[in-house]
Amino acid sequence: AGGSIDEPIGRDPKDRVKQAILTNGKQAKTHYRVIDRFKSHTHVKVILETGRTHQIRVHLSHIGYPLIGDPMYGGRVRFPKKACQELKDELIYFKRQALHSKKLTLKHPATGKSMAWKADLPNDMQELLNILKKHDS
């Protein structure tokens, strides 16, 4: 399962720090693929076709799937029904946005040479996934 989000993004007229879906915004396209589903959360892989400020956060929030730990676009913390305290604590106290760039590829601005970097999933995000899996039954 997955899909694409093709919605223009621009500066939120009500809050200059935020970005928003705006008809007169810049074109932005995000592709996503479901990796794993939990009771109230979904682990997804995202591929950007464009690179707008806060694009992943804005687009995923727009379709009802805000990032865990995102105070700007995430809204209130969502708990699965009958969530245990361990899971509630993990969701409440996750210290950052649950967002990780596994691979980054770009063309060097001066040389035009393609460059790429890879990074393993950080321990805090692996622990978050482990707790979500543990409490999915």
Side-chain angles (χ1 to χ4, degrees):
S4 295
I5 308 160
D6 189 356
E7 295 289 344
I9 295 176
R11 189 165 305 282
D12 188 327
K14 296 175 192 157
D15 184 343
R16 303 287 296 157
V17 175
K18 293 175 75 172
Q19 301 293 311
I21 302 295
L22 300 173
T23 55
N24 64 342
K26 292 181 181 177
Q27 187 230 356
K29 194 163 191 178
T30 303
H31 306 282
Y32 63 94
R33 169 85 43 211
V34 173
I35 294 173
D36 209 352
R37 293 181 193 274
F38 306 104
K39 286 183 180 177
S40 295
H41 299 85
T42 306
H43 181 196
V44 296
K45 175 182 180 177
V46 176
I47 298 172
L48 299 176
E49 196 169 303
T50 55
R52 306 289 174 222
T53 301
H54 300 179
Q55 180 175 326
I56 294 170
R57 298 164 64 197
V58 172
H59 272 174
L60 291 179
S61 183
H62 177 70
I63 65 168
Y65 293 96
L67 300 178
I68 290 172
D70 186 351
M72 189 173 290
Y73 302 102
R76 66 177 181 80
V77 177
R78 300 174 187 191
F79 300 122
K81 288 184 181 180
K82 300 180 184 177
C84 69
Q85 195 59 47
E86 179 186 33
L87 178 56
K88 287 180 181 179
D89 288 346
E90 183 69 16
L91 294 172
I92 290 169
Y93 300 113
F94 196 76
K95 293 183 168 98
R96 62 186 183 91
Q97 300 152 22
L99 184 61
H100 170 68
S101 182
K102 180 179 180 178
K103 182 178 180 184
L104 175 65
T105 305
L106 55 85
K107 285 190 179 187
H108 191 281
T111 67
K113 181 182 173 186
S114 182
M115 303 178 77
W117 297 267
K118 289 184 178 181
D120 292 333
L121 194 65
N123 291 338
D124 63 341
M125 288 190 62
Q126 187 58 60
E127 182 61 24
L128 172 63
L129 288 170
N130 291 341
I131 290 173
L132 287 168
K133 286 176 188 171
K134 177 180 171 183
H135 297 287
D136 197 37
S137 55

